[in-house]
Amino acid sequence: RASLEATYFVNAAGLFQLSAILEKLNSGKAAKGEFTTVTMPSGLIEGTETMFFYTLFIIFPEYLTMLYSIFGAGVVITILQRLFWASKSLPELGKQMYKSTDKKYKNLVVN
């Protein structure tokens, strides 16, 4: 149980950190027209999968250890997916933001 809880904390921290970065880079919910409060990079385990597993936890308590292990592995895969996504996407988004900021403030630079 402790390892499942630990994966939740790591997943939540990463998810909300990425969401904050995307909002700061103007690539968040407003840019994508999403209905959620913040942009959430997708992953293997999301809301529907979580509800499904919690239903299994309730229906099959005799298999909790196995179900926790499977679900925890899915959360770890989700964490890795988001890290991979961030390593590919954030540098490019940062470059785009820098270019737009550079153009916007070009006249303010003192030579």
Side-chain angles (χ1 to χ4, degrees):
R1 292 184 209 192
S3 61
L4 180 59
E5 188 173 351
T7 60
Y8 268 10
F9 283 118
V10 172
N11 185 49
L15 172 64
F16 291 117
Q17 182 65 35
L18 282 175
S19 296
I21 291 169
L22 288 171
E23 290 298 324
K24 186 164 180 103
L25 294 175
N26 297 320
S27 297
K29 70 168 187 108
K32 295 182 178 182
E34 295 177 353
F35 295 111
T36 60
T37 304
V38 293
T39 292
M40 294 182 267
S42 61
L44 177 66
I45 300 292
E46 294 183 342
T48 304
E49 296 80 12
T50 300
M51 289 188 299
F52 174 74
F53 269 94
Y54 271 80
T55 302
L56 292 178
F57 296 160
I58 293 166
I59 294 173
F60 302 109
E62 64 272 14
Y63 298 108
L64 278 180
T65 303
M66 181 186 64
L67 291 170
Y68 284 166
S69 298
I70 294 168
F71 187 64
V75 174
V76 168
I77 290 169
T78 300
I79 293 166
L80 294 173
Q81 285 177 311
R82 289 185 177 138
L83 285 172
F84 180 72
W85 178 89
S87 70
K88 283 180 47 183
S89 302
L90 290 181
E92 186 59 36
L93 291 171
K95 287 178 192 174
Q96 291 172 7
M97 182 184 176
Y98 177 75
K99 286 178 185 176
S100 67
T101 304
D102 188 41
K103 289 176 188 174
K104 187 176 180 181
Y105 296 108
K106 188 175 183 180
N107 297 328
L108 298 176
V109 177
V110 177
N111 292 328

